[in-house]
């Protein structure tokens, strides 16, 4: 991405021509890269000599090699959404390219999830935001699909309801070739218990905290429309309620609101009546989908397509989404029968799965037969993490500070694996052997082909214990929070 103040030469020329067709004499000022959506590059560009109501515009461009039609369709989607009454940036100009670009109005407000969920200035907004999101989605889902026939022709996106979305995840998991028994268990149960089919409507595809511009009065704009497709309307509502987009908040709708407010706003604005059980299915599917997509991002790093500290860290956080998926299944399909009572299998308890270490092990004080002097490897890694977080983080700002903290977290993950890994491996082997499988790949295959059932208490508890072990290394705070919640104490998804 170019430095602030620069635009690629061909893009700058094309933008100037397109803008002057609407605003004669306008000149391009400072251009600043912005955080974009799933695939587009996004710029905030100042205008000189333009209309006073548009001192700044937003420019979105296609990644290299993408067809211009995709960006043109996004422009038509935004126009249709605007006419339907959704809060979206207005399209000021379209550049057919190459390079293709859209020029949009700049909408001021907050996008960063942590600020949306915690900034005191937005406290009032958080009380109305869930209802406003419901209203916006109802208006979106009422747009006649025949107005945008190109949406249904996008081959890169899964078109259709639950069956099509499950097939998309199935292809993704198969292509990745990475055994994730928790994801396979979730996929198996969701595929065996599909929700009633809803009508195919225009869905946003990524309607969530982080893609919403929020001001003190509430929702100001919905961003990032490149994943729009035809689907079940509850796909959008369920995705907004997926735990990953709550960012640690207990509130089920995007981390800021209640299901009652979301559904009331949706139905009040003309959305179809919401089936609570079907919505709960789509929330669970959201965790399945995000788990698969997170694995895809991690494998881009592992396989060298895009070496990235951030993507590497995401790979070790897939277990958090697996835990969310298992929690959702516990709500949708509580275990019954022998071995299903709480605490029946001690290997599934928080303490055992965490592989609680003996006193002194943290600093390597127990000696042993290793020929190395103190400090031990885990303590060295912890010391590096402390240096990164306590000494270096304050020396940098912005994204670099974020990456320093990511690096410190990654080092701590390695340190915990060094300490806990050997014991966890022995326990995991015992769990797999009790199920009659040799490894995670065989367990995943057995769940996929039905040899082991998603409702078998032995399987559910073994998979839960494995996810707990991964959380003990990747994010013990998430594990401790799960252990402090009584079963069924969370707000019911229906």
């Amino acid at each position: 991405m170019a430095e602030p103040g620069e635009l690629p030469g061909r893009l700058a020329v094309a933008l100037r021509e397109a803008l002057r067709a609407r605003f004669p004499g306008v000149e391009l000022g400072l251009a600043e890269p912005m955080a974009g959506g799933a695939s587009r590059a996004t710029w905030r560009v100042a205008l000189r000599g333009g209309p006073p109501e548009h001192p700044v515009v937003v420019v979105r461009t296609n990644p290299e090699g993408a067809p211009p039609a995709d960006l043109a369709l996004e422009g038509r989607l935004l126009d249709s959404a605007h006419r339907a009454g959704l809060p979206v940036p207005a399209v000021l100009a379209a550049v057919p390219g190459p390079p293709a670009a859209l020029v949009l109005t700049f909408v001021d407000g907050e996008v960063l999830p942590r600020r949306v969920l915690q900034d005191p200035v937005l406290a009032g907004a958080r009380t109305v935001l869930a209802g406003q999101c419901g209203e916006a989605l109802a208006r979106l889902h009422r747009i006649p699909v025949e107005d945008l026939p190109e949406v249904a022709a996008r081959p890169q996106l899964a078109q259709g309801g639950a069956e099509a979305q499950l097939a998309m995840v199935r292809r993704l998991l198969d292509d990745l070739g990475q055994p994730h028994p928790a994801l396979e268990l979730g996929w198996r149960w969701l595929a065996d218990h599909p929700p009633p089919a809803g009508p195919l409507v225009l869905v946003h595809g990524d309607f969530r905290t982080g893609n919403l511009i929020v001001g003190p009065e509430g929702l100001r704009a919905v961003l990032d429309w490149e994943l729009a497709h035809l689907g079940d309307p509850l796909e959008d509502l369920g995705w907004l309620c997926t735990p990953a987009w709550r960012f640690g908040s207990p509130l089920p709708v995007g981390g800021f609101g209640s299901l009652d407010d979301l559904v009331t706003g949706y139905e009040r604005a003309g959305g179809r009546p919401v089936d609570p059980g079907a919505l709960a299915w789509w929330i669970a599917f959201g965790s399945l989908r995000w788990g698969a997509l997170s694995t895809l991002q991690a494998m881009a790093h592992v396989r060298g397509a895009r070496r990235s500290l951030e993507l590497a860290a995401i790979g070790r956080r897939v277990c958090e989404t697996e835990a969310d998926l298992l929690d959702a299944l516990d709500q949708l399909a509580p275990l019954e029968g022998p071995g299903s009572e709480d605490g029946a299998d001690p290997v599934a308890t928080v303490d055992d799965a965490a592989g609680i270490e003996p006193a002194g092990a943290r600093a390597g004080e127990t000696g042993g037969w290793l020929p190395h002097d103190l400090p031990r490897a885990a303590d060295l890694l912890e010391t590096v993490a402390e240096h990164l977080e306590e000494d270096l983080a304050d020396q940098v700002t912005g994204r670099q500070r974020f990456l320093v903290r990511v690096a410190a977290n990654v080092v701590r993950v390695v340190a915990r694996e060094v300490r806990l890994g050997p014991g966890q491996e022995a326990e995991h082997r015992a769990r797999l052997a009790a199920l009659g499988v040799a490894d995670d790949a065989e367990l995943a295959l057995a769940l996929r082909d039905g040899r082991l059932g998603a409702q078998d208490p032995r399987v559910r508890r073994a998979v839960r214990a494995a996810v707990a072990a991964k959380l003990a290394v990747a994010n013990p705070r998430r594990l401790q929070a799960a252990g402090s919640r009584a079963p069924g104490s969370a707000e019911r998804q229906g």
Side-chain angles (χ1 to χ4, degrees):
M1 183 174 290
E3 293 297 321
E6 300 178 359
L7 275 178
R10 293 174 61 195
L11 176 60
V13 172
L15 280 176
R16 188 179 299 108
E17 292 178 357
L19 285 167
R20 284 181 174 176
R22 180 166 181 174
F23 309 120
V26 70
E27 292 288 347
L28 302 182
L30 177 69
E32 181 181 357
M34 302 173 66
S39 60
R40 313 240 191 265
T42 308
W43 306 77
R44 172 176 166 161
V45 181
L47 300 184
R48 297 194 302 267
E53 66 270 25
H54 299 305
V56 176
V57 296
V58 173
V59 176
R60 284 170 62 75
T61 62
N62 263 344
E64 187 174 352
D70 280 357
L71 199 58
L73 175 57
E74 183 175 339
R76 288 191 287 277
L77 283 166
L78 287 169
D79 284 338
S80 294
H82 180 73
R83 290 194 299 270
L86 273 81
V88 294
V91 179
L92 297 176
V95 179
L102 279 179
V103 183
L104 310 174
T105 55
F106 173 74
V107 180
D108 195 16
E110 189 54 72
V111 177
L112 293 177
R114 299 291 181 192
R115 295 179 186 170
V116 169
L117 300 184
Q118 298 175 11
D119 191 336
V121 173
L122 301 178
R126 290 189 287 273
T127 67
V128 298
L129 193 53
Q132 292 173 337
C133 287
E135 293 169 4
L137 286 172
R139 294 188 179 102
L140 168 63
H141 297 160
R142 292 171 59 193
I143 294 175
V145 296
E146 55 270 20
D147 289 357
L148 293 160
E150 314 98 306
V151 171
R154 304 175 89 180
Q156 73 274 29
L157 297 177
Q159 307 287 345
E163 183 178 354
Q165 299 307 314
L166 282 167
M168 176 270 293
V169 173
R170 178 74 270 153
R171 289 191 298 271
L172 180 54
L173 291 174
D174 291 346
D175 290 345
L176 288 169
Q178 296 300 301
H180 280 270
L183 300 182
E184 293 292 348
L185 188 153
W187 188 93
R188 180 75 272 160
W189 192 94
L190 293 170
D192 288 345
H193 303 84
L200 289 185
V201 301
L202 177 64
V203 297
H204 180 277
D206 200 14
F207 193 103
R208 60 173 177 83
T209 308
N211 284 340
L212 310 173
I213 298 180
V214 179
E217 75 285 0
L219 182 62
R220 287 184 174 176
V222 180
L223 305 177
D224 294 344
W225 290 75
E226 56 260 49
L227 298 182
H229 59 277
L230 299 186
D232 189 301
L234 293 185
E235 179 187 337
D236 274 338
L237 276 75
W239 189 239
L240 176 61
C241 299
T242 296
W245 310 128
R246 302 173 193 172
F247 297 93
S249 166
L251 297 175
V253 179
F256 50 73
S258 72
L259 285 171
D260 283 346
D261 287 348
L262 174 70
V263 172
T264 297
Y266 185 75
E267 294 178 348
R268 182 176 58 223
R272 292 170 60 90
V274 173
D275 177 340
L279 177 57
W281 188 98
W282 281 104
I283 293 172
F285 174 80
S287 289
L288 173 65
R289 174 189 171 192
W290 183 237
L293 291 174
S294 297
T295 304
L296 175 67
Q297 294 183 72
M299 293 310 295
H301 166 81
V302 171
R303 292 171 176 167
R306 183 184 167 197
R307 298 290 291 179
S308 160
L309 173 64
E310 193 171 359
L311 295 184
I314 285 173
R316 296 306 290 264
R317 299 195 66 175
V318 173
C319 57
E320 297 177 36
T321 301
E322 291 177 334
D324 293 334
L325 177 57
L326 295 175
D327 288 344
L329 292 186
D330 286 347
Q331 293 285 333
L332 285 164
L335 289 176
E336 299 175 355
S340 64
E341 63 275 8
D342 291 328
D345 182 357
V347 81
T349 66
V350 170
D351 286 348
D352 286 349
I356 297 301
E357 57 200 310
R362 177 181 178 86
E365 298 159 357
T366 54
W369 56 264
L370 289 174
H372 308 298
D373 296 321
L374 298 180
R376 297 293 191 221
D379 189 34
L380 287 171
L381 290 166
E382 179 65 27
T383 303
V384 172
E386 291 170 355
H387 172 65
L388 288 169
E389 198 166 62
E390 298 172 10
D391 298 331
L392 293 187
D394 290 338
Q395 307 302 315
V396 292
T397 58
R399 179 164 176 77
Q400 290 306 309
R401 182 171 185 173
F402 165 74
L403 289 176
V404 167
R405 295 194 182 280
V406 170
N409 186 57
V410 168
V411 171
R412 287 196 169 99
V413 168
V414 178
R416 288 190 290 267
E417 185 169 332
V418 168
R419 292 196 304 270
L420 305 179
Q424 289 184 335
E425 181 180 4
E427 293 171 353
H428 190 52
R429 286 179 180 273
R431 284 193 295 267
L432 293 172
L435 296 176
V437 296
D439 53 26
D440 278 351
E442 188 176 349
L443 175 55
L445 182 60
L447 285 164
R448 191 180 317 166
D449 63 22
R451 283 182 287 130
L452 289 175
Q455 200 63 12
D456 184 332
R458 299 175 308 130
V459 174
R460 287 271 285 273
R461 287 195 171 276
V463 172
R464 169 72 76 175
V467 170
K470 291 194 284 186
L471 282 170
V473 168
N475 186 358
R477 284 181 297 181
R478 170 68 168 81
L479 185 64
Q480 291 159 3
S484 68
R485 292 196 301 264
S489 65
E491 178 177 344
R492 292 192 63 83
Q493 308 213 330

